[in-house]
Amino acid sequence: MFDTLYAQIGAAAGVLVVTFALLKGDEPERVGAGAYALGSLAALLVQNDGRLVGPQWGLMAVETVMLAAYAALAWKSRRSWPIWASALQSVIVMSHVLTTADVRPPIAAFYAVVNLTAYAILLALALGVVRAWRDRRALGPALEPDRLRRNRFAIPPMP
């Protein structure tokens, strides 16, 4: 999987965005980053690089579970990025359906669609994290975690 520079750059971008989301994002961003990371690892385990014709059933199942995860996140969250991630993930699932329906798209087009939409999902996640982080910083100390608020004052206030 990591035999080309393109794959290595994609993996590095994925690790950076997932790490950023886990460190600076709110709960929806952390859930989305965890889903992306688990889905990427599962896709690495089930994909068959040597098979260039026909559907890859394991990979299609992983992508469908990812679509369900993003759709559930879009349903429960008030953010806009999970809607974009769900829409882009549905493009990936539909490209799998095309190969299942034996429409015979060129395999290069199939991989281009899957890879470009994966980058777009990472972009949507990164923009969601930046927005959540910026909103949290704009509201100030009211939304800081208790552990940070407690450590701000060295001397406890007198009653």
Side-chain angles (χ1 to χ4, degrees), residues 7-72:
Q8 293 169 0
I9 290 172
V15 167
L16 286 175
V17 171
V18 166
T19 303
F20 181 56
L22 291 175
L23 292 176
K24 298 294 182 181
D26 288 336
E27 185 178 1
E29 288 79 18
R30 284 189 228 127
V31 170
Y36 185 87
L38 287 175
S40 296
L41 290 175
L44 282 174
L45 291 175
V46 301
Q47 75 180 354
N48 185 0
D49 289 338
R51 185 173 181 187
L52 298 177
V53 178
Q56 293 192 20
W57 296 105
L59 194 55
M60 184 177 178
V62 169
E63 301 291 2
T64 304
V65 168
M66 288 296 300
L67 175 60
Y70 286 135

Side-chain angles (χ1 to χ4, degrees), residues 54-149:
Q56 293 192 20
W57 296 105
L59 194 55
M60 184 177 178
V62 169
E63 301 291 2
T64 304
V65 168
M66 288 296 300
L67 175 60
Y70 286 135
L73 194 59
W75 182 269
K76 293 293 183 181
S77 175
R78 298 180 71 190
R79 314 288 168 117
S80 62
W81 74 265
I83 297 169
W84 285 99
S86 298
L88 292 163
Q89 188 68 31
S90 68
V91 170
I92 293 174
V93 171
M94 285 308 297
S95 65
H96 283 289
V97 169
L98 283 176
T99 59
T100 304
D102 204 22
V103 176
R104 297 181 197 247
I107 197 68
F110 171 75
Y111 284 123
V113 166
V114 170
N115 290 330
L116 288 176
T117 52
Y119 281 130
I121 290 172
L122 278 176
L123 178 65
L125 176 62
L127 291 175
V129 172
V130 168
R131 186 172 183 182
W133 184 30
R134 187 186 60 191
D135 291 347
R136 194 171 53 242
R137 287 185 66 199
L139 292 175
L143 290 181
E144 286 183 7
D146 287 336
R147 62 181 168 81
L148 295 178
R149 221 179 307 144

